[in-house]
Amino acid sequence: TLNNLIAYRYLKQPNTMKYILLIVITIFMFGCNKDEDVNVNLAVESTFYFPPLNSDEWENITLSELGWNTSELGGLLTYLEESNTRAFIVLKDGKIVIEEYFGNNILGTAPFDRNTKWYWASAGKTLTATLVGIAQQEGLLNINNTTSSYLGNGWTSLTADKENMITIKNQLTMTTGLEYNVSDLDCTLPSCLTYRTDAGQQWFYHNAPYTLLEKVVENATGIDYNDYSNQKVESVIGMNGQWISQGYNNVFWSTARDMARFGLLILNQGKWNNTDVLSDADYYEQMINTSQSLNPSYGYLWWLNGKESIIFPILPNSFNISMSDNAPTDLFAAMGKNGQFVEVIPSKNIVVIRMGEAPDSSLVPFTFHNEMWASINLVINE
């Protein structure tokens, strides 16, 4: 109905536009004939399906029911299998459309299936971004505060004044200014974290300051990082994953379905069914939109499609292209080593999950990602 459309458009707008739209709606209501039934309901509920907690139940919907191209599915699955994919899931409105598994588990001892756990690699950065937002909405930290406020002075080898330029937001946006010509970009020791330029002056995919966000959250909340993840996200949406230390890194492991649950949470703007998980709407919008001017294709640890330029991991240079020509322009994604993907497409209410081994020789396979979407597009008929 017209009323629901107005309400939907209202809720989709940022706060400033909401006030403007509220005025327009008010004028509309009072300008209508008094005999007309005008009832603008601003409390529009999500129409997404959410799988129950602690259950293998998950509703499916077929390609035929959606009017998608069933004849192209075989080609997509063949491409995925030949590209070392282990798990591939597509959700539409929260329901499973495609769920396929290939090959064996990480040890090669059993077939990969819905219960097999796999590493998220840097796709797990987006779970950290979500947890930082939750800690901020609880009043336990502020992303505009200096990192030293939570890690103490001397967490880098910088002078005190340069170190205190670095904020949590710089960690979220890869703009700490730390030197990246180092032997180990994962090393979080102060001796590995040296000065290159002032915070906010460069964009570089530097893993170490990201990793230290986990210690920021632990120190701000007083709760172990795995426990905080479980309390605030996993137990609320039915995930069952775990952060596992690997050298300097802390890598999240879960099943593909757990990853799909997280994607559905983010698609629904941080809300799981009727439960608010990330309720700070401003933080959510900042997280999934351009976070700084240096790399328009990066939010708070999320990669963004459809932007005018991009800086790829490991490279310092900007390229005047978008992340993926074949993917929907509004797609934003968690992306990790060897092609661990959580893809969110708001315009289509779709989530795409890919877990697997490396499809090519690149660290994060952006070329594969683009080719994958060329094959997905042949199936999705929207």
Side-chain angles (χ1 to χ4, degrees):
T1 65
L2 177 60
N3 293 340
N4 286 339
L5 177 61
I6 293 172
Y8 175 79
R9 292 296 186 189
Y10 174 87
L11 290 174
K12 284 290 186 180
Q13 301 301 319
N15 288 337
T16 303
M17 283 301 298
K18 284 184 180 180
Y19 291 121
I20 297 172
L21 282 176
L22 187 59
I23 295 171
V24 173
I25 291 170
T26 304
I27 295 172
F28 171 78
M29 291 173 65
F30 284 96
C32 291
N33 187 298
K34 65 180 180 180
D35 294 328
E36 294 180 14
D37 181 16
V38 178
N39 179 26
V40 178
N41 177 19
L42 298 181
V44 178
E45 293 296 327
S46 170
T47 58
F48 294 146
Y49 164 81
F50 295 89
L53 307 184
N54 305 313
S55 172
D56 287 335
E57 178 186 344
W58 199 316
E59 285 190 17
N60 292 70
I61 187 169
T62 67
L63 276 73
S64 297
E65 288 176 287
L66 293 171
W68 291 6
N69 297 322
T70 57
S71 62
E72 298 290 346
L73 179 60
L76 169 62
L77 298 182
T78 297
Y79 172 74
L80 291 169
E81 185 171 16
E82 292 176 348
S83 301
N84 297 323
T85 300
R86 292 294 182 273
F88 184 76
I89 296 175
V90 177
L91 305 181
K92 171 68 173 178
D93 299 327
K95 297 179 181 179
I96 293 176
V97 188
I98 303 171
E99 183 179 21
E100 297 288 340
Y101 300 99
F102 314 90
N104 295 323
N105 63 19
I106 196 74
L107 298 176
T109 57
F112 198 115
D113 61 27
R114 69 174 58 172
N115 298 312
T116 304
K117 293 185 183 293
W118 194 261
Y119 59 91
W120 287 33
S122 285
K125 287 179 167 68
T126 59
L127 179 54
T128 293
T130 303
L131 291 168
V132 169
I134 293 170
Q136 177 170 264
Q137 77 189 20
E138 293 182 330
L140 301 174
L141 60 76
N142 186 314
I143 65 170
N144 294 309
N145 287 348
T146 64
T147 301
S148 299
S149 301
Y150 305 92
L151 297 184
N153 297 325
W155 67 274
T156 70
S157 295
L158 279 59
T159 61
D161 60 329
K162 296 300 184 183
E163 182 177 276
N164 284 327
M165 289 182 177
I166 302 174
T167 65
I168 297 174
K169 187 173 181 180
N170 291 131
Q171 292 175 273
L172 287 169
T173 60
M174 296 291 179
T175 58
T176 59
L178 294 171
E179 177 59 69
Y180 53 79
N181 289 317
V182 294
S183 59
D184 188 354
L185 285 168
D186 294 333
C187 176
T188 55
L189 299 176
S191 58
C192 297
L193 305 176
T194 58
Y195 179 83
R196 182 179 178 88
T197 188
D198 288 355
Q201 299 303 306
Q202 78 176 15
W203 193 97
F204 191 84
Y205 195 77
H206 197 324
N207 209 49
Y210 151 73
T211 300
L212 287 169
L213 279 172
E214 297 162 7
K215 185 58 67 176
V216 167
V217 172
E218 281 191 339
N219 290 349
T221 63
I223 302 173
D224 172 81
Y225 198 62
N226 258 313
D227 291 342
Y228 194 71
S229 298
N230 183 57
Q231 290 175 24
K232 301 303 177 179
V233 177
E234 295 175 65
S235 64
V236 184
I237 71 174
M239 288 176 66
N240 187 27
Q242 185 178 15
W243 295 95
I244 298 176
S245 295
Q246 296 177 226
Y248 291 109
N249 296 320
N250 205 16
V251 180
F252 195 73
W253 290 68
S254 81
T255 68
R257 282 193 168 195
D258 289 327
M259 190 181 256
R261 283 177 181 266
F262 177 66
L264 180 55
L265 169 71
I266 299 302
L267 175 65
N268 199 42
Q269 301 180 18
K271 189 172 185 178
W272 186 263
N273 207 350
N274 294 317
T275 302
D276 286 324
V277 179
L278 177 59
S279 59
D280 185 338
D282 289 339
Y283 181 90
Y284 174 86
E285 290 298 323
Q286 293 161 15
M287 182 176 74
I288 62 163
N289 284 290
T290 300
S291 58
Q292 29 62 52
S293 60
L294 300 167
N295 188 0
S297 297
Y298 208 69
Y300 290 170
L301 305 174
W302 286 88
W303 290 94
L304 318 175
N305 198 31
K307 306 305 178 182
E308 66 274 15
S309 64
I310 186 170
I311 303 175
F312 293 104
I314 307 304
L315 300 175
N317 308 106
S318 179
F319 297 85
N320 294 325
I321 57 174
S322 63
M323 184 177 78
S324 177
D325 290 339
N326 292 327
T329 56
D330 66 327
L331 174 146
F332 58 94
M335 307 186 79
K337 181 180 179 180
N338 297 336
Q340 320 312 320
F341 299 147
V342 182
E343 316 259 71
V344 180
I345 306 95
S347 62
K348 298 180 181 293
N349 290 343
I350 285 175
V351 172
V352 174
I353 301 301
R354 190 269 183 186
M355 286 179 162
E357 296 282 10
D360 56 39
S361 60
S362 58
L363 179 66
V364 179
F366 283 90
T367 299
F368 163 74
H369 179 266
N370 198 41
E371 293 173 350
M372 181 184 76
W373 267 100
S375 295
I376 293 173
N377 288 336
L378 296 175
V379 175
I380 297 177
N381 186 25
E382 293 190 357

